Coordinates of all heavy atoms in Angstrom, one line a residue:
A887 N 42.9 74.3 179.6 CA 44.0 73.3 179.4 C 45.0 73.2 180.5 O 45.8 72.3 180.5 CB 44.6 73.5 178.0
L888 N 45.0 74.3 181.3 CA 46.0 74.3 182.4 C 45.9 73.1 183.4 O 46.9 72.5 183.9 CB 45.9 75.6 183.2 CG 46.5 76.8 182.5 CD1 46.1 78.1 183.3 CD2 48.0 76.7 182.2
L889 N 44.6 72.7 183.6 CA 44.4 71.6 184.6 C 43.7 70.4 184.0 O 43.3 69.4 184.7 CB 43.5 72.1 185.7 CG 44.2 73.2 186.6 CD1 43.2 73.7 187.6 CD2 45.4 72.7 187.3
S890 N 43.5 70.4 182.6 CA 42.7 69.3 182.0 C 43.7 68.2 181.5 O 43.2 67.2 181.0 CB 41.9 69.8 180.9 OG 42.7 70.3 179.8
W891 N 45.0 68.4 181.6 CA 46.0 67.4 181.2 C 45.9 67.1 179.7 O 46.3 66.0 179.3 CB 45.9 66.1 182.0 CG 46.3 66.3 183.4 CD1 45.4 66.6 184.5 CD2 47.6 66.1 184.0 NE1 46.1 66.7 185.6 CE2 47.5 66.4 185.4 CE3 48.9 65.8 183.5 CZ2 48.5 66.4 186.3 CZ3 49.9 65.8 184.4 CH2 49.8 66.1 185.8
R892 N 45.4 68.1 178.9 CA 45.4 67.9 177.5 C 46.9 67.9 177.0 O 47.2 67.2 176.1 CB 44.6 68.9 176.8 CG 44.4 68.7 175.3 CD 43.3 69.5 174.7 NE 43.1 69.1 173.3 CZ 43.0 69.9 172.3 NH1 43.0 71.2 172.6 NH2 42.8 69.5 171.1
D893 N 47.7 68.8 177.6 CA 49.1 68.8 177.4 C 49.8 68.4 178.7 O 49.9 69.1 179.6 CB 49.6 70.2 177.0 CG 51.0 70.3 176.6 OD1 51.8 69.3 176.9 OD2 51.5 71.3 176.0
P894 N 50.2 67.1 178.8 CA 50.6 66.5 180.1 C 51.8 67.3 180.6 O 51.9 67.5 181.8 CB 51.0 65.1 179.7 CG 50.2 64.8 178.5 CD 50.1 66.0 177.7
R895 N 52.8 67.7 179.8 CA 53.9 68.4 180.3 C 53.6 69.7 180.8 O 54.1 70.1 181.9 CB 55.0 68.5 179.1 CG 55.4 67.2 178.6 CD 56.3 67.4 177.4 NE 56.7 66.1 176.8 CZ 55.9 65.5 175.9 NH1 54.8 65.9 175.6 NH2 56.4 64.3 175.4
A896 N 52.7 70.5 180.1 CA 52.4 71.8 180.6 C 51.6 71.7 181.9 O 51.8 72.5 182.8 CB 51.6 72.6 179.5
T897 N 50.7 70.8 181.9 CA 49.9 70.6 183.2 C 50.7 70.2 184.3 O 50.5 70.8 185.5 CB 48.7 69.6 182.9 OG1 47.9 70.0 181.8 CG2 47.9 69.5 184.2
S898 N 51.7 69.3 184.1 CA 52.6 69.0 185.3 C 53.4 70.1 185.7 O 53.6 70.3 186.9 CB 53.5 67.8 184.8 OG 54.3 68.2 183.7
V899 N 53.9 71.0 184.8 CA 54.7 72.2 185.2 C 53.8 73.1 185.9 O 54.2 73.7 186.9 CB 55.3 72.8 183.9 CG1 55.9 74.2 184.3 CG2 56.3 72.0 183.3
F900 N 52.5 73.3 185.5 CA 51.6 74.3 186.2 C 51.2 73.8 187.6 O 51.1 74.6 188.5 CB 50.4 74.5 185.3 CG 49.4 75.5 185.9 CD1 49.7 76.9 185.9 CD2 48.2 75.1 186.5 CE1 48.9 77.8 186.4 CE2 47.3 76.0 187.0 CZ 47.7 77.4 187.0
V901 N 51.0 72.4 187.7 CA 50.7 71.9 189.0 C 51.8 72.1 190.0 O 51.7 72.4 191.1 CB 50.3 70.4 188.9 CG1 50.2 69.7 190.2 CG2 49.0 70.3 188.1
L902 N 53.1 71.8 189.5 CA 54.3 72.0 190.3 C 54.4 73.5 190.7 O 54.8 73.8 191.9 CB 55.5 71.5 189.6 CG 56.8 71.5 190.4 CD1 56.7 70.7 191.7 CD2 58.0 71.1 189.6
F903 N 54.2 74.4 189.8 CA 54.2 75.8 190.1 C 53.2 76.2 191.1 O 53.5 77.0 192.0 CB 54.0 76.6 188.8 CG 53.8 78.1 189.0 CD1 54.9 78.9 189.3 CD2 52.5 78.6 188.9 CE1 54.7 80.3 189.5 CE2 52.3 80.0 189.1 CZ 53.4 80.8 189.4
C904 N 52.0 75.7 191.0 CA 50.9 76.0 192.0 C 51.4 75.5 193.4 O 51.1 76.2 194.4 CB 49.6 75.3 191.6 SG 48.9 76.0 190.1
L905 N 52.1 74.4 193.5 CA 52.5 73.9 194.8 C 53.6 74.8 195.4 O 53.5 75.2 196.6 CB 53.1 72.5 194.7 CG 53.7 71.9 196.0 CD1 52.6 71.8 197.1 CD2 54.3 70.5 195.7
M906 N 54.5 75.3 194.6 CA 55.6 76.2 195.0 C 55.0 77.5 195.4 O 55.4 78.2 196.4 CB 56.7 76.3 194.0 CG 57.4 75.0 193.7 SD 58.6 75.2 192.3 CE 59.7 76.5 193.0
A907 N 54.0 78.0 194.6 CA 53.4 79.3 194.9 C 52.6 79.3 196.2 O 52.6 80.3 197.0 CB 52.4 79.7 193.7
A908 N 52.0 78.2 196.5 CA 51.3 78.0 197.8 C 52.2 78.2 199.0 O 51.9 78.8 200.0 CB 50.5 76.7 197.8
L909 N 53.4 77.5 198.8 CA 54.4 77.6 199.9 C 54.9 79.0 200.1 O 55.1 79.5 201.2 CB 55.5 76.6 199.7 CG 55.1 75.1 199.7 CD1 56.3 74.2 199.3 CD2 54.5 74.7 201.0
V910 N 55.2 79.7 198.9 CA 55.8 81.0 199.0 C 54.7 82.0 199.6 O 55.0 82.9 200.4 CB 56.3 81.5 197.6 CG1 56.7 83.0 197.7 CG2 57.4 80.6 197.2
L911 N 53.5 81.9 199.1 CA 52.5 82.8 199.7 C 52.2 82.6 201.1 O 51.7 83.5 201.8 CB 51.2 82.6 198.8 CG 51.2 83.1 197.4 CD1 49.9 82.7 196.7 CD2 51.4 84.6 197.3
Y912 N 52.5 81.3 201.6 CA 52.2 81.0 203.0 C 53.2 81.7 203.9 O 52.9 82.2 205.0 CB 52.3 79.5 203.3 CG 52.0 79.1 204.7 CD1 50.7 79.2 205.2 CD2 53.0 78.7 205.5 CE1 50.5 78.8 206.5 CE2 52.8 78.3 206.8 CZ 51.5 78.4 207.3 OH 51.3 78.0 208.6
V913 N 54.5 81.8 203.5 CA 55.5 82.4 204.3 C 55.8 83.9 204.0 O 56.5 84.5 204.7 CB 56.8 81.6 204.2 CG1 56.6 80.2 204.6 CG2 57.3 81.6 202.7
T914 N 55.3 84.4 202.9 CA 55.5 85.8 202.5 C 54.3 86.6 202.7 O 53.2 86.2 202.3 CB 56.0 85.8 201.0 OG1 57.1 84.9 200.8 CG2 56.4 87.2 200.6
P915 N 54.5 87.8 203.3 CA 53.3 88.7 203.4 C 52.7 89.1 202.1 O 53.5 89.3 201.1 CB 53.8 89.9 204.2 CG 55.1 89.4 204.9 CD 55.6 88.4 204.0
L916 N 51.4 89.3 202.0 CA 50.7 89.6 200.8 C 51.2 91.0 200.3 O 51.2 91.3 199.1 CB 49.2 89.6 201.0 CG 48.4 89.8 199.7 CD1 48.6 88.8 198.6 CD2 46.9 89.8 200.1
Q917 N 51.5 91.9 201.2 CA 51.8 93.3 200.8 C 53.1 93.3 200.0 O 53.3 94.0 199.1 CB 52.0 94.2 202.0 CG 50.7 94.5 202.7 CD 50.3 93.5 203.7 OE1 50.8 92.4 203.7 NE2 49.4 93.9 204.6
V918 N 54.1 92.4 200.4 CA 55.4 92.3 199.7 C 55.2 91.8 198.3 O 55.7 92.4 197.3 CB 56.3 91.4 200.5 CG1 57.7 91.2 199.7 CG2 56.6 92.0 201.8
L919 N 54.3 90.8 198.1 CA 54.1 90.3 196.8 C 53.4 91.3 195.9 O 53.7 91.5 194.7 CB 53.2 89.0 196.9 CG 53.9 87.8 197.6 CD1 52.9 86.7 197.7 CD2 55.2 87.4 196.8
A920 N 52.4 92.0 196.5 CA 51.7 93.0 195.7 C 52.6 94.2 195.3 O 52.5 94.7 194.2 CB 50.5 93.6 196.5
A921 N 53.5 94.6 196.2 CA 54.5 95.6 195.9 C 55.4 95.2 194.8 O 55.7 96.0 193.8 CB 55.3 96.0 197.1
L922 N 56.0 94.0 194.8 CA 56.9 93.5 193.8 C 56.1 93.4 192.5 O 56.7 93.8 191.4 CB 57.4 92.1 194.2 CG 58.4 92.1 195.4 CD1 58.7 90.6 195.7 CD2 59.6 92.9 195.1
A923 N 54.9 92.9 192.5 CA 54.1 92.8 191.2 C 53.8 94.2 190.6 O 54.0 94.4 189.4 CB 52.8 92.1 191.4
G924 N 53.5 95.2 191.5 CA 53.2 96.5 191.0 C 54.5 97.2 190.4 O 54.4 97.8 189.3
F925 N 55.6 97.0 191.1 CA 56.8 97.7 190.6 C 57.3 97.0 189.3 O 57.9 97.6 188.4 CB 57.9 97.6 191.6 CG 57.8 98.6 192.7 CD1 57.7 98.2 194.1 CD2 57.7 100.0 192.5 CE1 57.5 99.1 195.1 CE2 57.5 100.9 193.5 CZ 57.4 100.5 194.8

Side-chain angles (χ1 to χ4, degrees):
L888 287 173
L889 297 174
S890 64
W891 294 89
R892 189 164 185 227
D893 187 342
R895 299 175 184 82
T897 303
S898 60
V899 171
F900 183 72
V901 170
L902 183 61
F903 169 77
C904 291
L905 177 62
M906 297 176 60
L909 297 176
V910 172
L911 292 176
Y912 181 75
V913 299
T914 306
L916 184 61
Q917 290 87 344
V918 176
L919 296 177
L922 293 176
F925 284 123

